[in-house]
Protein backbone atom coordinates (compact mmCIF):
# COMPACT_ATOMS: atom_id res chain seq x y z
CA UNK A 1 0.00 0.00 0.00
CA UNK A 2 2.82 2.38 0.84
CA UNK A 3 4.87 1.95 -2.34
CA UNK A 4 2.75 4.34 -4.40
CA UNK A 5 2.60 6.87 -1.56
CA UNK A 6 6.38 6.80 -1.12
CA UNK A 7 6.86 7.28 -4.85
CA UNK A 8 4.53 10.30 -4.70
CA UNK A 9 6.51 11.76 -1.81
CA UNK A 10 9.82 11.26 -3.58
CA UNK A 11 8.46 12.84 -6.77
CA UNK A 12 7.14 15.96 -5.04
CA UNK A 13 8.45 17.34 -1.74
CA UNK A 14 5.75 17.95 0.87
CA UNK A 15 5.73 19.33 4.39
CA UNK A 16 3.65 17.98 7.25
CA UNK A 17 2.85 19.77 10.50
CA UNK A 18 2.55 17.83 13.75
CA UNK A 19 0.49 19.74 16.29
CA UNK A 20 2.02 18.02 19.35
CA UNK A 21 5.74 18.64 18.97
CA UNK A 22 6.93 17.59 22.46
CA UNK A 23 5.19 14.19 22.35
CA UNK A 24 7.71 11.31 22.29
CA UNK A 25 5.71 9.28 19.75
CA UNK A 26 5.54 12.25 17.39
CA UNK A 27 9.25 12.94 17.78
CA UNK A 28 10.24 9.32 17.16
CA UNK A 29 8.18 9.24 13.96
CA UNK A 30 9.46 12.66 12.89
CA UNK A 31 13.07 11.60 13.39
CA UNK A 32 12.49 8.57 11.16
CA UNK A 33 10.76 10.62 8.46
CA UNK A 34 13.63 13.10 8.46
CA UNK A 35 16.31 10.40 8.41
CA UNK A 36 14.63 8.80 5.39
CA UNK A 37 14.19 12.25 3.80
CA UNK A 38 10.51 11.59 3.06
CA UNK A 39 9.09 15.05 3.79
CA UNK A 40 9.62 18.34 5.52
CA UNK A 41 8.53 18.34 9.18
CA UNK A 42 7.11 21.14 11.31
CA UNK A 43 6.73 20.51 15.04
CA UNK A 44 4.43 22.84 16.98
CA UNK A 45 5.49 23.67 20.53
CA UNK A 46 7.84 25.69 22.70
CA UNK A 47 11.28 25.41 21.12
CA UNK A 48 13.18 24.66 24.35
CA UNK A 49 10.57 22.10 25.45
CA UNK A 50 10.58 20.30 22.10
CA UNK A 51 14.38 20.19 21.94
CA UNK A 52 14.70 19.05 25.56
CA UNK A 53 12.23 16.21 25.01
CA UNK A 54 14.10 15.07 21.89
CA UNK A 55 17.47 15.18 23.66
CA UNK A 56 16.08 13.24 26.63
CA UNK A 57 14.77 10.46 24.39
CA UNK A 58 17.65 10.46 21.91
CA UNK A 59 15.64 11.54 18.85
CA UNK A 60 17.42 13.45 16.10
CA UNK A 61 14.97 16.13 14.98
CA UNK A 62 17.61 18.63 13.86
CA UNK A 63 16.03 18.78 10.40
CA UNK A 64 12.60 19.76 11.71
CA UNK A 65 11.27 23.30 11.91
CA UNK A 66 9.95 24.04 15.40
CA UNK A 67 7.30 26.74 15.57
CA UNK A 68 5.98 28.22 18.81
CA UNK A 69 2.67 30.10 18.43
CA UNK A 70 3.74 32.47 21.22
CA UNK A 71 6.76 33.70 19.25
CA UNK A 72 5.66 33.08 15.65
CA UNK A 73 6.70 36.07 13.51
CA UNK A 74 3.69 35.78 11.20
CA UNK A 75 1.06 35.73 13.95
CA UNK A 76 -0.51 39.09 13.08
CA UNK A 77 -1.00 38.00 9.48
CA UNK A 78 -2.40 34.68 10.67
CA UNK A 79 -4.87 36.40 13.02
CA UNK A 80 -6.04 38.69 10.22
CA UNK A 81 -6.60 35.71 7.91
CA UNK A 82 -8.48 33.76 10.57
CA UNK A 83 -10.77 36.70 11.31
CA UNK A 84 -11.58 36.83 7.61
CA UNK A 85 -12.29 33.09 7.51
CA UNK A 86 -14.54 33.17 10.57
CA UNK A 87 -16.55 36.11 9.14
CA UNK A 88 -17.70 37.76 12.33
CA UNK A 89 -17.99 34.54 14.33
CA UNK A 90 -14.71 35.25 16.14
CA UNK A 91 -13.12 38.53 17.12
CA UNK A 92 -9.42 39.22 16.57
CA UNK A 93 -8.87 38.55 20.28
CA UNK A 94 -10.70 35.23 20.06
CA UNK A 95 -8.68 34.21 17.01
CA UNK A 96 -5.39 35.16 18.64
CA UNK A 97 -6.30 33.13 21.73
CA UNK A 98 -7.26 30.07 19.67
CA UNK A 99 -4.10 30.32 17.61
CA UNK A 100 -2.04 29.77 20.74
CA UNK A 101 -3.36 26.19 20.62
CA UNK A 102 -1.48 23.71 18.49
CA UNK A 103 -4.55 22.42 16.65
CA UNK A 104 -5.68 25.87 15.42
CA UNK A 105 -2.14 27.10 14.78
CA UNK A 106 -1.23 24.00 12.78
CA UNK A 107 -4.44 24.16 10.75
CA UNK A 108 -3.75 27.77 9.82
CA UNK A 109 -0.24 26.81 8.70
CA UNK A 110 -1.89 24.48 6.19
CA UNK A 111 -4.48 27.08 5.20
CA UNK A 112 -1.78 29.67 4.54
CA UNK A 113 0.38 27.29 2.53
CA UNK A 114 3.18 26.93 5.09
CA UNK A 115 2.49 23.18 5.26
CA UNK A 116 0.79 20.74 2.90
CA UNK A 117 -0.81 18.46 5.47
CA UNK A 118 -1.51 18.11 9.19
CA UNK A 119 -1.49 15.19 11.61
CA UNK A 120 -2.72 15.60 15.17
CA UNK A 121 -4.74 14.03 17.94
CA UNK A 122 -2.12 12.03 19.83
CA UNK A 123 -3.08 13.88 23.01
CA UNK A 124 -6.51 15.36 22.25
CA UNK A 125 -9.86 14.29 20.86
CA UNK A 126 -10.97 13.78 17.27
CA UNK A 127 -13.33 16.71 17.71
CA UNK A 128 -10.38 18.98 18.48
CA UNK A 129 -8.79 17.97 15.18
CA UNK A 130 -11.96 18.23 13.11
CA UNK A 131 -13.31 21.50 14.52
CA UNK A 132 -10.46 23.79 13.33
CA UNK A 133 -10.40 21.95 10.00
CA UNK A 134 -14.12 22.59 9.46
CA UNK A 135 -13.81 26.23 10.49
CA UNK A 136 -10.65 27.07 8.54
CA UNK A 137 -9.92 24.49 5.82
CA UNK A 138 -13.63 23.83 5.23
CA UNK A 139 -15.31 21.18 3.12
CA UNK A 140 -14.82 20.64 -0.60
CA UNK A 141 -17.33 22.27 -2.97
CA UNK A 142 -20.54 20.26 -2.90
CA UNK A 143 -19.66 18.36 0.28
CA UNK A 144 -22.15 18.60 3.15
CA UNK A 145 -20.09 16.87 5.82
CA UNK A 146 -16.70 15.57 6.84
CA UNK A 147 -16.48 11.81 7.22
CA UNK A 148 -13.81 9.22 7.83
CA UNK A 149 -12.74 5.78 6.77
CA UNK A 150 -10.17 3.18 7.74
CA UNK A 151 -8.00 1.27 5.31
CA UNK A 152 -7.46 -2.28 6.55
CA UNK A 153 -4.75 -4.60 5.22
CA UNK A 154 -3.51 -8.12 5.95
CA UNK A 155 -1.04 -10.47 4.24
CA UNK A 156 -2.96 -13.74 4.49
CA UNK A 157 -6.33 -15.14 3.41
CA UNK A 158 -8.55 -14.44 0.41
CA UNK A 159 -6.68 -12.26 -2.09
CA UNK A 160 -9.78 -10.14 -2.70
CA UNK A 161 -10.07 -9.34 1.01
CA UNK A 162 -6.45 -8.41 1.73
CA UNK A 163 -7.18 -4.69 1.46
CA UNK A 164 -10.48 -3.14 2.57
CA UNK A 165 -12.04 0.26 3.23
CA UNK A 166 -14.60 0.93 5.99
CA UNK A 167 -16.48 4.16 6.68
CA UNK A 168 -17.64 6.09 8.60
CA UNK A 169 -16.16 4.67 11.80
CA UNK A 170 -15.06 7.78 13.69
CA UNK A 171 -16.80 11.07 12.84
CA UNK A 172 -20.56 11.03 12.21
CA UNK A 173 -22.55 9.64 15.12
CA UNK A 174 -25.69 9.27 13.00
CA UNK A 175 -27.34 10.75 9.91
CA UNK A 176 -30.25 13.13 10.22
CA UNK A 177 -31.97 15.56 7.87
CA UNK A 178 -30.70 19.14 8.03
CA UNK A 179 -33.56 21.64 8.10
CA UNK A 180 -33.79 25.42 7.73
CA UNK A 181 -35.67 27.80 10.03
CA UNK A 182 -38.90 27.12 8.16
CA UNK A 183 -38.54 23.38 8.65
CA UNK A 184 -37.59 22.60 5.06
CA UNK A 185 -35.09 19.82 4.52
CA UNK A 186 -31.90 21.30 3.09
CA UNK A 187 -29.77 18.14 3.14
CA UNK A 188 -31.33 14.74 3.70
CA UNK A 189 -29.84 12.01 5.89
CA UNK A 190 -29.67 9.79 2.81
CA UNK A 191 -27.66 12.43 0.93
CA UNK A 192 -25.17 12.57 3.79
CA UNK A 193 -24.71 8.79 3.97
CA UNK A 194 -24.45 8.67 0.17
CA UNK A 195 -21.61 11.22 0.31
CA UNK A 196 -19.80 9.01 2.82
CA UNK A 197 -20.13 6.13 0.36
CA UNK A 198 -18.78 8.12 -2.57
CA UNK A 199 -15.91 9.64 -0.59
CA UNK A 200 -15.01 6.21 0.80
CA UNK A 201 -14.97 4.83 -2.73
CA UNK A 202 -12.61 7.63 -3.79
CA UNK A 203 -10.34 6.98 -0.82
CA UNK A 204 -10.34 3.25 -1.53
CA UNK A 205 -9.34 3.90 -5.14
CA UNK A 206 -6.56 6.23 -4.01
CA UNK A 207 -5.12 3.37 -1.96
CA UNK A 208 -5.24 0.91 -4.82
CA UNK A 209 -8.60 -0.72 -4.10
CA UNK A 210 -10.99 -0.99 -7.04
CA UNK A 211 -14.05 -0.10 -4.98
CA UNK A 212 -17.08 -2.34 -4.75
CA UNK A 213 -19.19 -0.52 -2.19
CA UNK A 214 -21.68 -2.31 0.07
CA UNK A 215 -24.21 -0.17 1.92
CA UNK A 216 -24.45 -2.29 5.04
CA UNK A 217 -27.52 -3.04 7.12
CA UNK A 218 -29.13 -5.80 9.19
CA UNK A 219 -31.38 -6.25 6.15
CA UNK A 220 -30.72 -7.37 2.58
CA UNK A 221 -32.92 -5.94 -0.13
CA UNK A 222 -35.85 -5.25 2.19
CA UNK A 223 -35.69 -8.45 4.26
CA UNK A 224 -35.82 -6.44 7.49
CA UNK A 225 -37.54 -3.29 8.69
CA UNK A 226 -36.22 -0.36 10.70
CA UNK A 227 -35.01 3.21 10.48
CA UNK A 228 -31.49 2.48 9.25
CA UNK A 229 -32.77 -0.03 6.69
CA UNK A 230 -34.65 2.70 4.86
CA UNK A 231 -31.71 5.07 5.27
CA UNK A 232 -29.22 2.64 3.71
CA UNK A 233 -31.60 1.75 0.89
CA UNK A 234 -32.30 5.38 0.01
CA UNK A 235 -28.63 6.36 0.37
CA UNK A 236 -27.74 3.62 -2.11
CA UNK A 237 -29.96 5.22 -4.76
CA UNK A 238 -28.52 8.67 -4.10
CA UNK A 239 -24.91 7.39 -4.17
CA UNK A 240 -25.51 5.59 -7.47
CA UNK A 241 -26.76 8.86 -8.95
CA UNK A 242 -23.88 10.88 -7.47
CA UNK A 243 -21.17 8.53 -8.72
CA UNK A 244 -22.37 6.14 -11.45
CA UNK A 245 -18.72 5.31 -12.18
CA UNK A 246 -18.51 3.30 -8.94
CA UNK A 247 -20.10 -0.07 -8.15
CA UNK A 248 -22.36 0.74 -5.18
CA UNK A 249 -25.21 -1.47 -4.00
CA UNK A 250 -27.40 -2.12 -0.99
CA UNK A 251 -28.85 -2.33 1.42
CA UNK A 252 -27.22 -5.64 2.37
CA UNK A 253 -26.02 -7.66 5.34
CA UNK A 254 -22.32 -8.29 5.81
CA UNK A 255 -22.50 -11.96 4.83
CA UNK A 256 -24.24 -11.01 1.60
CA UNK A 257 -21.53 -8.40 1.00
CA UNK A 258 -18.53 -10.75 1.28
CA UNK A 259 -19.74 -14.29 0.47
CA UNK A 260 -20.41 -14.90 -3.26
CA UNK A 261 -22.73 -17.79 -2.40
CA UNK A 262 -24.79 -15.85 0.15
CA UNK A 263 -24.60 -12.63 -1.84
CA UNK A 264 -25.99 -14.05 -5.06
CA UNK A 265 -28.63 -15.99 -3.12
CA UNK A 266 -29.88 -12.97 -1.18
CA UNK A 267 -29.12 -10.30 -3.80
CA UNK A 268 -29.10 -12.00 -7.23
CA UNK A 269 -27.63 -9.96 -10.05
CA UNK A 270 -25.77 -7.47 -7.84
CA UNK A 271 -22.27 -6.56 -9.02
CA UNK A 272 -21.29 -5.88 -5.41
CA UNK A 273 -22.96 -8.62 -3.33
CA UNK A 274 -20.41 -11.28 -2.49
CA UNK A 275 -17.46 -9.23 -3.75
CA UNK A 276 -17.52 -6.04 -1.66
CA UNK A 277 -14.27 -4.49 -0.45
CA UNK A 278 -15.58 -1.08 0.64
CA UNK A 279 -18.14 -1.07 3.45
CA UNK A 280 -20.37 1.82 4.47
CA UNK A 281 -22.06 1.54 7.85
CA UNK A 282 -25.41 3.17 8.70
CA UNK A 283 -24.19 4.56 12.05
CA UNK A 284 -20.98 5.04 13.99
CA UNK A 285 -21.73 2.25 16.48
CA UNK A 286 -21.75 -0.36 13.73
CA UNK A 287 -18.76 1.17 11.96
CA UNK A 288 -16.51 1.52 14.98
CA UNK A 289 -17.36 -1.95 16.29
CA UNK A 290 -17.02 -3.45 12.82
CA UNK A 291 -13.54 -2.18 12.00
CA UNK A 292 -12.25 -3.07 15.47
CA UNK A 293 -13.54 -6.64 15.12
CA UNK A 294 -11.73 -6.89 11.78
CA UNK A 295 -8.59 -5.46 13.37
CA UNK A 296 -8.53 -7.55 16.54
CA UNK A 297 -10.03 -10.85 15.38
CA UNK A 298 -9.47 -10.70 11.63
CA UNK A 299 -5.77 -9.91 11.79
CA UNK A 300 -6.02 -6.65 9.83
CA UNK A 301 -3.76 -3.62 10.23
CA UNK A 302 -6.03 -0.57 10.47
CA UNK A 303 -4.90 2.84 9.15
CA UNK A 304 -6.97 5.85 10.06
CA UNK A 305 -9.23 7.52 10.67
CA UNK A 306 -8.59 9.12 7.29
CA UNK A 307 -10.70 12.28 7.06
CA UNK A 308 -12.75 12.83 3.91
CA UNK A 309 -14.46 15.85 2.40
CA UNK A 310 -11.94 18.53 3.43
CA UNK A 311 -10.05 20.90 1.14
CA UNK A 312 -6.67 19.71 2.47
CA UNK A 313 -5.32 16.50 4.00
CA UNK A 314 -5.80 16.68 7.76
CA UNK A 315 -5.86 13.45 9.72
CA UNK A 316 -6.46 12.34 13.26
CA UNK A 317 -4.46 10.02 15.49
CA UNK A 318 -5.74 7.75 18.20
CA UNK A 319 -4.63 8.82 21.66
CA UNK A 320 -3.43 5.22 22.07
CA UNK A 321 -1.21 5.38 18.97
CA UNK A 322 2.42 4.38 18.90
CA UNK A 323 5.34 5.86 16.93
CA UNK A 324 5.00 3.30 14.13
CA UNK A 325 1.36 4.30 13.60
CA UNK A 326 2.32 7.99 13.59
CA UNK A 327 5.01 7.30 10.99
CA UNK A 328 2.62 5.42 8.70
CA UNK A 329 -0.20 7.95 9.11
CA UNK A 330 2.25 10.74 8.27
CA UNK A 331 3.12 9.00 4.99
CA UNK A 332 -0.58 8.53 4.24
CA UNK A 333 -1.45 12.15 5.11
CA UNK A 334 1.42 13.78 3.23
CA UNK A 335 0.92 11.39 0.32
CA UNK A 336 -2.67 12.60 -0.03
CA UNK A 337 -1.56 16.21 -0.47
Amino acid sequence: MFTALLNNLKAQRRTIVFTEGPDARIQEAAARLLKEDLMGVILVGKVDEVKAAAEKNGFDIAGAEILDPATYAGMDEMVEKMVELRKGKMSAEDCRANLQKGNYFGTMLVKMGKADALLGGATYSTADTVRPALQLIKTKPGAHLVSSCFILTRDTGDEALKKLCMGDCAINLSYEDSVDKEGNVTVSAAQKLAEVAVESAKTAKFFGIEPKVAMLSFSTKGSGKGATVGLSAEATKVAQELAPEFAIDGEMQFDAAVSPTVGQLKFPGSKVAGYANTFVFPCIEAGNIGYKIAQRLGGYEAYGPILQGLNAPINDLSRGCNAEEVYKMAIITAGMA
Side-chain angles (χ1 to χ4, degrees):
M1 183 177 85
F2 287 94
T3 302
L5 290 172
L6 291 171
N7 289 338
N8 286 344
L9 291 173
K10 290 173 183 176
Q12 184 177 344
R13 186 76 174 177
R14 295 174 177 87
T15 297
I16 191 168
V17 55
F18 292 101
T19 56
E20 297 139 311
D23 187 276
R25 297 162 295 175
I26 300 298
Q27 292 194 350
E28 183 177 347
R32 185 175 171 188
L33 294 166
L34 291 165
K35 183 179 180 180
E36 296 172 6
D37 196 28
L38 292 178
M39 63 192 73
V41 171
I42 297 173
L43 299 172
V44 176
K46 296 182 183 301
V47 177
D48 290 345
E49 183 181 346
V50 173
K51 288 183 175 179
E55 184 176 351
K56 176 184 175 183
N57 292 301
F59 301 133
D60 182 3
I61 58 166
E65 184 177 9
I66 304 170
L67 295 181
D68 180 357
T71 59
Y72 182 59
M75 181 57 72
D76 289 343
E77 180 188 3
M78 188 177 279
V79 169
E80 184 179 348
K81 181 64 176 177
M82 186 169 169
V83 170
E84 177 189 331
L85 291 167
R86 297 303 290 136
K87 294 180 180 176
K89 294 178 181 178
M90 282 187 186
S91 66
E93 291 74 17
D94 292 334
C95 290
R96 192 175 293 274
N98 274 304
L99 287 168
Q100 297 306 305
K101 304 171 187 175
N103 55 343
Y104 274 94
F105 180 74
T107 304
M108 279 302 294
L109 289 176
V110 175
K111 182 64 180 180
M112 299 181 75
K114 308 294 184 183
D116 301 296
L118 177 148
L119 188 58
T123 61
Y124 50 79
S125 70
T126 295
D128 286 332
T129 299
V130 175
R131 189 182 306 108
L134 277 172
Q135 293 175 349
L136 305 173
I137 301 297
K138 304 186 179 181
T139 54
K140 297 176 184 176
H144 295 97
L145 78 170
V146 172
S147 63
S148 74
C149 73
F150 282 81
I151 300 295
L152 295 99
T153 66
R154 70 179 182 189
D155 295 329
T156 61
D158 187 336
E159 191 68 30
L161 297 176
K162 285 187 176 180
K163 192 154 52 172
L164 308 174
C165 178
M166 294 186 175
D168 178 348
C169 307
I171 300 296
N172 295 288
L173 299 181
S174 60
Y175 303 93
E176 300 174 355
D177 293 344
S178 295
V179 297
D180 60 21
K181 293 179 180 179
E182 286 72 41
N184 301 309
V185 175
T186 55
V187 186
S188 70
Q191 171 77 25
K192 293 176 182 178
L193 184 57
E195 287 186 20
V196 174
V198 173
E199 288 298 320
S200 296
K202 291 177 181 178
T203 302
K205 194 170 183 68
F206 180 82
F207 286 103
I209 301 169
E210 190 56 43
K212 294 181 177 63
V213 184
M215 306 295 285
L216 294 178
S217 177
F218 59 86
S219 163
T220 300
K221 212 175 179 182
S223 65
K225 304 295 180 185
T228 60
V229 174
L231 171 63
S232 294
E234 184 59 30
T236 300
K237 297 175 185 176
V238 177
Q240 290 169 341
E241 293 173 0
L242 286 174
E245 68 274 20
F246 293 129
I248 303 173
D249 216 343
E251 88 289 3
M252 68 181 75
Q253 293 158 287
F254 191 81
D255 59 348
V258 298
S259 167
T261 302
V262 177
Q264 292 308 306
L265 175 66
K266 290 186 173 184
F267 211 137
S270 172
K271 295 180 180 179
V272 172
Y275 306 100
N277 52 29
T278 303
F279 305 94
V280 177
F281 296 88
C283 60
I284 199 170
E285 289 94 339
N288 194 270
I289 292 168
Y291 102 81
K292 286 182 182 292
I293 289 173
Q295 181 184 29
R296 299 299 176 181
L297 299 184
Y300 283 90
E301 291 283 337
Y303 301 102
I306 296 166
L307 300 188
Q308 305 174 144
L310 290 167
N311 275 313
I314 290 180
N315 280 326
D316 182 44
L317 292 164
S318 164
R319 279 172 282 182
C321 66
N322 57 40
E324 178 70 12
E325 291 168 330
V326 177
Y327 169 80
K328 288 179 178 177
M329 279 301 295
I331 292 172
I332 287 171
T333 306
M336 295 174 70

